[in-house]
Amino acid sequence: MTKKILSLLVLFVLVATASFAKPKVRIIATGGTIAGVASSSTNSAYNAGQVGIQTLINAVPQIKDLADVSGEQLCNIGSQDMNNGVWLQLANRINQLLNNEGYDGVLVTHGTDTMEETAFFLSLTVCSDKPVILVGSMRPSNAISADGPANVYNGVAAIVTPSSKGRGVQVCMNSQLFDAKYVFKSHTTSLDTFTGGENGANGYVYNGEAKYFDSPVALDEKFDISKVKELPQVGIVYGYANASPLPMQAFINAKYDGIVYAGVGDGNFYKDTFDEAVKARKKGIIIVRSSRVPTGATNLNAEVDDNANEFVASLGLNPQKARIMLMLALTQTKDWKKIQQYFLEY
């Protein structure tokens, strides 16, 4: 056999092997109900973050038919304890996996309480067009009809679907796919708790494949947090009738960098809280108006004159997502006009 024929055979084998190679998917586990254990299969009380990543993978052997799957345990906490430090670690690790280690997508297992916040943070900080999908569960791992395994399977299935590329970060729960910007938890315990509100779902997973309703639209520009060691301090103040100014005063006295006001209606203030917000701006603290109302935008210069008071309107972001946007914006600037522009663009 000539060297030329041998070389061609080797090349053919390499091309054939590459053609049949499964996508490389990394699962990063952070804990949550999906890793929770109850005292019995019918007990609604449980402890989150008890099961490790390999146990989660072993519970869904079918994902091995879809991809070359491996896992790592970033942390093992209930998502009520999710924090800025874990967010920075998670975003940097995902960027490394997708951009430096050759993975085709990342699945994050996460508790449902703050899943929408983590998804939104990642959507602004993961610099890749490869799929990143968050999954969790509403029932612990040993419950009757635990939903975690199906969500893991569907999440991996969505990652390996070619049309998932370029869609940014998504949440996959109860066979539905949601954009990180719009998704939120709408019910305390129901399996179909996650919704996209007025924007609905992006698509769904059926028979091991993601089906989408529209073309992908992902952010071109992201926040580079590779050198960020600590995020700015931003708190949320809840608005209500006859609201006390004390929570706003507490954040001001603690020298927070920003405050998001979850106002009534179109992000409106109770008068005493408004006075404190004005004082905060004079001290250089950024004030973002959002709304406690679950759907609808908080509009710029509506009942509140944002330009005159140098407030920022959150537009389509709910209070918890407005907080994330403000933290990341503050890593770039303290100019309220530029920060408003971030809210308009993202």
Side-chain angles (χ1 to χ4, degrees), residues 41-58:
S41 61
T42 58
N43 193 344
S44 61
Y46 64 93
N47 293 315
Q50 301 297 304
V51 176
I53 177 59
Q54 197 55 50
T55 302
L56 289 177
I57 291 175
N58 292 343

Side-chain angles (χ1 to χ4, degrees), residues 176-327:
Q176 292 186 295
L177 290 156
F178 301 98
D179 185 275
K181 181 176 181 178
Y182 303 114
V183 68
F184 65 93
K185 189 174 183 178
S186 66
H187 192 281
T188 54
T189 58
S190 177
L191 290 184
D192 61 351
T193 177
F194 281 94
T195 177
E198 295 171 314
N199 296 280
N202 284 351
Y204 60 96
V205 180
Y206 181 72
N207 281 348
E209 184 180 1
K211 312 284 187 179
Y212 290 102
F213 302 132
D214 53 17
S215 300
V217 179
L219 294 172
D220 292 326
E221 298 295 327
K222 303 292 181 75
F223 290 93
D224 181 4
I225 47 88
S226 59
K227 296 180 181 179
V228 175
K229 302 301 180 185
E230 187 174 308
L231 290 169
Q233 288 188 301
V234 176
I236 299 175
V237 173
Y238 196 82
Y240 52 94
N242 200 50
S244 169
L246 291 176
M248 185 79 76
Q249 291 169 354
F251 284 129
I252 295 171
N253 293 336
K255 296 181 171 57
Y256 265 47
D257 302 290
I259 300 170
V260 174
Y261 186 69
V264 298
D266 197 357
N268 295 322
F269 292 87
Y270 182 66
K271 56 186 179 60
D272 292 353
T273 310
F274 175 80
D275 293 341
E276 293 302 320
V278 172
K279 292 177 185 177
R281 280 300 299 128
K282 291 179 179 178
K283 293 178 180 288
I285 299 171
I286 299 295
I287 298 293
V288 173
R289 291 189 309 106
S290 188
S291 177
R292 70 182 197 180
V293 181
T295 56
T298 302
N299 296 290
L300 183 64
N301 295 316
E303 291 185 59
V304 177
D305 191 337
D306 293 306
N307 289 340
N309 293 289
E310 298 186 356
F311 294 157
V312 174
S314 72
L315 307 176
L317 297 182
N318 62 23
Q320 53 269 36
K321 290 181 180 178
R323 172 180 171 267
I324 291 167
M325 176 60 77
L326 181 54
M327 286 194 298

Side-chain angles (χ1 to χ4, degrees), residues 129-146:
D129 64 351
K130 297 176 182 178
V132 176
I133 293 180
L134 281 77
V135 299
S137 69
M138 293 303 293
R139 295 171 179 165
S141 61
N142 63 332
I144 294 175
S145 299

